Amino acid sequence: MLGLELVVILGVAALVCSVVGQRFRIAPPVLLLVSGALLGFLPSLREVQLPSEVVLLIFLPVLLYWESLTTSLREIRSNLPVIVLMSTTLVFATAGAVAAVAHAAGLQWGPAWVLGAALAPTDATAVGVLARALPHRDVTVLRAESLVNDGTALVIYGLAVGITIGEEHLSVPDVSWLFLLAYGGGALAGAVTAWVGVQARRRLDDTLLGSVVTILTPFTAALMAETIHASGVLAVVVSGLMMSQIGPRVVRAETRRKALGFFALSTFLINCALFVLVGLELHTAVRGLPSGDFMRGLVLVGIVSAVAIGMRFVFLFAAAYLIRLLDRRPQPHLPRVSNRGLVVSGVAGFRGSVSLAAALAVPQAVASGHPFPGRHMIIFVTSGVIVVTLIVQGLLLPRVVRWARLPRDTHIEQERHLAEMAATMEALSAMPQLADDLGTDTDVVARLRREYEEHLKVLRANRTGATADPALRHDEHYTALRLALLAHKRGTVVRLRDERRIDDTVLRQVQAGLDIEEVHLSRRQAVD
């Protein structure tokens, strides 16, 4: 029964916290984390634990694949030097600083580096949820950093664990090989998986089977990478980025629509469940500590949190000033970021599920059979730092964004308008030739041309911002009437079903068509 109760509890928590968060403008992850910590006091939930394998092998591939599919490869290329620095050098610096503090607090160097590696990477899913209010470029850089830095941190983590348990030796060739295998093997596994997925889609006409290929892609990429001991995280990210570029050419519209609906819902539920489970896991971490280590652990949580956040601020400002010092061109290659923008990026460095999964995956014992030194302290401190960063920084970020007064990012709206205008105008130009090729009747061509010309008028009116333009008013009235007629048609079909004049199967078939039309009109109304 515990499994069924947990499903209901997680679902209700996701629903309630999302509604309350929207009502009071509080980030839902903060409320979910607090609700998980409160639920942990229930006796029936004290045995609930979050296996690291579930996070790393089931939850994480789905979340990272969705983040990769929906990020901007163009922005990643434009900001690649910054992203590489933050996902490698900053990870090393943070892991080393945290390890030094943990060692000074009593942990051996091996376990101290395990803790540092676990807490070094920022969390892509937390950034995606909590940093939505930032400009597009800032969000893209933060998400890209979080997608790549997991691979760097997990290599450091694996090396630290291996040295501690006696299976690895610290040498330059060994470390170089591990990083080459993690990055090169992971990228290759992701590229191969994406290529196989593209070939499969080209040979499948069934939209349902095409959706299965889409869902299998991140898990296949992770499995292939793990098989060769490469970075599964990087494999999923590379496959997602490749599919974001190739998908629009090979994925059918219905398959894409189904996949987007699946990933949007599944990632929302997984994110909500993870935040609640992190709160629950905090109780397990506290119970695992020896009785005399609780206060020491709390102090270490505070110090490590300050060090992790402080290292991010120091690195961001040092890198920005170094770039400004070296690149004095009037038009610098990298866009300049204001000091207030750097503060926003510093506050947006959340820790999350990857850090917790790494801490929980620490072995129980070393090669000699003795317990892994400091394992319970590693789990407790990691859980505590995650809670501190998510709650403190999550509550602080909206206020910092308002303080920073970042310029409004309008280039996405401008480029969307450009794309719609160009597509419509080129379609109008191509209409005579396409009509000749298809043998279309002239009255059909004339009707379609009028529709496209009306749509073009609406797009031009939107560009000028003339709200009183007759084309906009005509389009609003047209859309409102179409939506009202659809509602009337739906009522008629339901009445026919209730009168037993049509079967439920017929109702579902007709309703599916009405739903597609209503969704299309509703989205157009929202955009206009």
Side-chain angles (χ1 to χ4, degrees):
M1 283 295 291
L2 180 58
L4 184 59
E5 292 173 356
L6 186 60
V7 169
V8 174
I9 288 172
L10 291 176
V12 171
L15 183 62
V16 172
C17 291
S18 298
V19 172
V20 173
Q22 293 174 3
R23 175 67 177 83
F24 295 100
R25 296 184 179 181
I26 301 174
V30 175
L31 298 176
L32 290 164
L33 194 65
V34 172
S35 68
L38 295 176
L39 288 170
F41 289 104
L42 297 177
S44 59
L45 297 180
R46 287 181 180 174
E47 301 303 319
V48 174
Q49 293 187 357
L50 182 61
S52 59
E53 296 83 359
V54 172
V55 177
L56 293 174
L57 303 180
I58 298 179
F59 287 177
L60 202 58
V62 176
L63 296 174
L64 293 180
Y65 189 65
W66 177 246
E67 291 291 327
S68 304
L69 280 177
T70 55
T71 193
S72 169
L73 185 58
R74 186 187 68 178
E75 288 291 339
I76 291 176
R77 287 170 177 163
S78 300
N79 298 279
L80 189 60
V82 175
I83 293 170
V84 171
L85 277 174
M86 294 179 71
S87 58
T88 54
T89 308
L90 178 56
V91 171
F92 274 108
T94 304
V98 171
V101 169
H103 179 66
L107 281 181
Q108 300 176 21
W109 272 116
W113 272 98
V114 171
L115 176 63
L119 289 172
T122 52
D123 189 74
T125 57
V127 168
V129 173
L130 291 166
R132 290 174 179 170
L134 299 182
H136 178 69
R137 176 195 174 272
D138 299 80
V139 174
T140 301
V141 171
L142 289 169
R143 289 170 67 185
E145 173 205 355
S146 302
L147 289 171
V148 180
N149 64 15
D150 292 339
T152 305
L154 291 177
V155 172
I156 302 173
Y157 168 85
L159 187 63
V161 170
I163 292 174
T164 304
I165 65 178
E167 294 181 355
E168 296 282 356
H169 300 283
L170 185 62
S171 65
V172 174
D174 288 342
V175 174
S176 301
W177 168 246
L178 285 174
F179 275 97
L180 178 63
L181 179 61
Y183 282 95
L188 181 62
V192 170
T193 303
W195 181 84
V196 172
V198 169
Q199 302 308 312
R201 284 184 177 87
R202 284 175 173 165
R203 289 164 174 77
L204 290 174
D205 293 328
D206 191 310
T207 57
L208 186 61
L209 296 179
S211 299
V212 172
V213 173
T214 300
I215 296 169
L216 278 176
T217 299
F219 298 106
T220 304
L223 176 61
M224 186 180 298
E226 293 294 334
T227 302
I228 61 174
H229 304 290
S231 171
V233 169
L234 194 60
V236 173
V237 170
V238 169
S239 65
L241 289 174
M242 290 185 64
M243 288 309 305
S244 72
Q245 303 302 302
I246 304 172
R249 294 185 176 91
V250 299
V251 178
R252 296 174 60 181
E254 188 174 355
T255 301
R256 182 163 47 249
R257 185 175 60 84
K258 289 180 178 178
L260 289 175
F262 167 81
F263 277 109
L265 178 60
S266 61
T267 52
F268 170 76
L269 293 175
I270 289 173
N271 272 321
C272 291
L274 275 175
F275 289 122
V276 176
L277 291 171
V278 167
L280 285 171
E281 190 65 36
L282 189 60
H283 289 263
T284 304
V286 172
R287 290 195 297 269
L289 276 179
S291 57
D293 285 349
F294 179 69
M295 290 306 300
R296 173 170 163 256
L298 282 180
V299 172
L300 193 54
V301 166
I303 296 175
V304 169
S305 298
V307 168
I309 297 171
M311 277 300 302
R312 183 174 182 85
F313 275 92
V314 169
F315 182 87
L316 286 171
F317 277 91
Y321 282 111
L322 182 61
I323 291 173
R324 293 173 189 174
L325 181 66
L326 298 178
D327 189 0
R328 294 182 174 273
R329 290 174 293 181
Q331 295 294 331
H333 176 67
L334 294 175
R336 296 284 171 84
V337 182
S338 66
N339 289 338
R340 294 195 177 204
L342 293 174
V343 172
V344 172
S345 297
V347 175
F350 309 101
R351 270 61 182 180
S353 56
V354 175
S355 297
L356 183 60
L360 295 175
V362 173
Q364 296 281 349
V366 298
S368 63
H370 293 93
F372 192 98
R375 182 178 187 273
H376 294 297
M377 183 62 73
I378 291 172
I379 296 174
F380 177 80
V381 173
T382 301
S383 302
V385 172
I386 292 171
V387 171
V388 169
T389 57
L390 286 177
I391 292 181
V392 175
Q393 293 177 253
L395 293 174
L396 192 61
L397 182 60
R399 294 168 175 80
V400 173
V401 171
R402 289 194 294 271
W403 165 80
R405 296 194 297 273
L406 300 176
R408 184 171 177 266
D409 192 350
T410 61
H411 83 275
I412 290 295
E413 298 173 9
Q414 295 170 354
E415 290 179 8
R416 174 171 179 161
H417 185 269
L418 170 65
E420 291 179 341
M421 285 282 292
T424 304
M425 294 175 67
E426 291 188 16
L428 274 170
S429 300
M431 188 178 296
Q433 183 61 49
L434 294 174
D436 288 341
D437 295 341
L438 296 172
T440 308
D441 292 340
T442 55
D443 57 337
V444 174
V445 176
R447 175 185 173 185
L448 196 57
R449 177 174 290 278
R450 285 196 301 271
E451 292 179 3
Y452 268 67
E453 288 173 347
E454 286 294 330
H455 182 55
L456 198 57
K457 291 179 182 178
V458 173
L459 291 176
R460 286 170 176 160
N462 277 326
R463 181 181 60 182
T464 60
T467 56
D469 192 287
L472 282 179
R473 187 170 63 254
H474 176 273
D475 186 66
E476 291 172 0
H477 291 176
Y478 174 83
T479 303
L481 181 58
R482 285 279 301 274
L483 288 171
L485 290 172
L486 284 174
H488 194 277
K489 289 169 69 176
R490 182 175 286 105
T492 301
V493 176
V494 173
R495 176 173 54 80
L496 292 174
R497 191 279 310 269
D498 294 342
E499 294 172 354
R500 300 184 181 180
R501 295 167 62 184
I502 62 172
D503 188 70
D504 287 295
T505 303
V506 176
L507 169 65
R508 286 190 293 270
Q509 291 174 350
V510 176
Q511 196 172 44
L514 297 175
D515 289 345
I516 293 173
E517 190 175 357
E518 181 178 344
V519 168
H520 170 71
L521 289 170
S522 299
R523 287 178 177 173
R524 189 174 74 168
Q525 190 179 47
V527 171
D528 293 345

